[in-house]
Amino acid sequence: MSSIFATALGDDFARLHPMMQKRFGVGLDLGYACIGSGTMESVRRGPWWTVPFLQFGRLRNILVPDVGQDVPFRIENYPYRDPFGRETITFVREYQVGRRPSRFDATMVLAEGRVLDYLGTHQHLAVDLDLRVGDDGSLLLRSEAQRFYEGPLAFRFPMLFSGYADLREWYDDEAECFRVRLEVTNRRFGFLFGYTGSFTCEFVEAHDAPARLKPRRHERRE
């Protein structure tokens, strides 16, 4: 019995902090979900010209255009089996900046031994993830190649118009909470978006994901 993250990381999964192993052990075999809630101490974005791209991404819950300090957020990781028989984990984040909430949807599957991240409500973007374990038991994630799918249309998304995400997540024993830091950058234009935050988790029995967390359309192509 193994989660998609344990399979992708192999023996390195055991090097994660025990609480990180539990958090990323979510899967159908073990039958539980991870629900986190906390605060983003800082949500930032790049220069003014990044705003139209971030606003466009909001339409399909792919990007978060808001900025703020001490922003409440929630992340829900539920396992389910998609219509193509693949075990899938939801990574749905909700942020409350002012009166208007923002939501960033992602669903992850295992594809040829790697974790593949589908972004948005319609799984338009498929992103390869490189996963590593830090010396302190943290999880290090970097996004790589991206592919766009819509109906019969399929192409490798040019990285000139997108960004690479670098995420570090770890468990703080002293504060008894998870911590996360993300930066999205473009090789030519620099910093686009990022956040730092902390949260606690509850682990609940689950063998499926609520409909509200599943994408409106599932994409077969990887």
Side-chain angles (χ1 to χ4, degrees):
M1 297 189 295
S2 181
S3 72
I4 66 173
F5 295 96
T7 301
L9 285 168
D11 292 341
D12 278 347
F13 188 78
R15 295 177 50 230
L16 286 171
H17 186 285
M19 290 299 293
M20 292 291 291
Q21 291 183 41
K22 187 171 185 179
R23 169 152 164 67
F24 288 93
V26 168
L28 291 172
D29 285 339
L30 295 179
Y32 70 88
C34 175
I35 303 171
S37 59
T39 303
M40 289 297 175
E41 287 85 8
S42 173
V43 181
R44 303 176 295 130
R45 65 176 177 230
W48 63 268
W49 48 261
T50 64
V51 176
F53 296 100
L54 296 174
Q55 291 288 3
F56 179 77
R58 184 202 284 271
L59 298 176
R60 292 295 174 89
N61 293 353
I62 294 176
L63 294 171
V64 178
D66 301 309
V67 297
Q69 304 289 323
D70 298 325
V71 176
F73 84 100
R74 178 181 175 92
I75 180 168
E76 297 183 82
N77 305 119
Y78 275 84
Y80 72 96
R81 197 165 300 281
D82 76 6
F84 309 116
R86 300 174 300 186
E87 180 170 354
T88 307
I89 308 297
T90 67
F91 273 76
V92 175
R93 306 164 183 87
E94 294 186 45
Y95 304 84
Q96 186 68 45
V97 180
R99 296 182 179 179
R100 184 177 183 182
S102 293
R103 178 166 151 164
F104 174 36
D105 287 23
T107 43
M108 300 190 185
V109 302
L110 194 66
E112 298 180 353
R114 74 185 191 283
V115 174
L116 180 66
D117 189 5
Y118 287 109
L119 301 182
T121 57
H122 292 65
Q123 295 192 340
H124 284 313
L125 277 177
V127 181
D128 295 335
L129 299 183
D130 176 52
L131 303 177
R132 300 184 184 183
V133 178
D135 292 337
D136 59 353
S138 59
L139 180 68
L140 308 175
L141 178 155
R142 180 172 174 79
S143 65
E144 296 186 328
Q146 302 179 10
R147 294 166 296 283
F148 181 87
Y149 301 122
E150 172 60 36
L153 186 65
F155 61 87
R156 191 181 179 101
F157 199 83
M159 295 308 296
L160 176 63
F161 304 106
S162 188
Y164 292 92
D166 285 287
L167 179 143
R168 177 174 176 253
E169 187 171 314
W170 68 101
Y171 189 77
D172 184 331
D173 284 299
E174 185 174 346
E176 297 185 332
C177 69
F178 295 89
R179 297 193 183 276
V180 61
R181 181 173 65 238
L182 170 77
E183 283 200 355
V184 180
T185 57
N186 180 280
R187 287 179 176 173
R188 173 172 293 185
F189 302 112
F191 175 78
L192 301 178
F193 176 79
Y195 56 68
T196 58
S198 60
F199 59 100
T200 58
C201 289
E202 60 174 325
F203 301 92
V204 300
E205 182 178 352
H207 298 278
D208 195 5
R212 62 182 173 79
L213 299 179
K214 294 180 182 179
R216 299 176 190 175
R217 179 183 70 91
H218 286 85
E219 175 59 56
R220 179 190 295 271
R221 292 165 292 187
E222 301 174 344

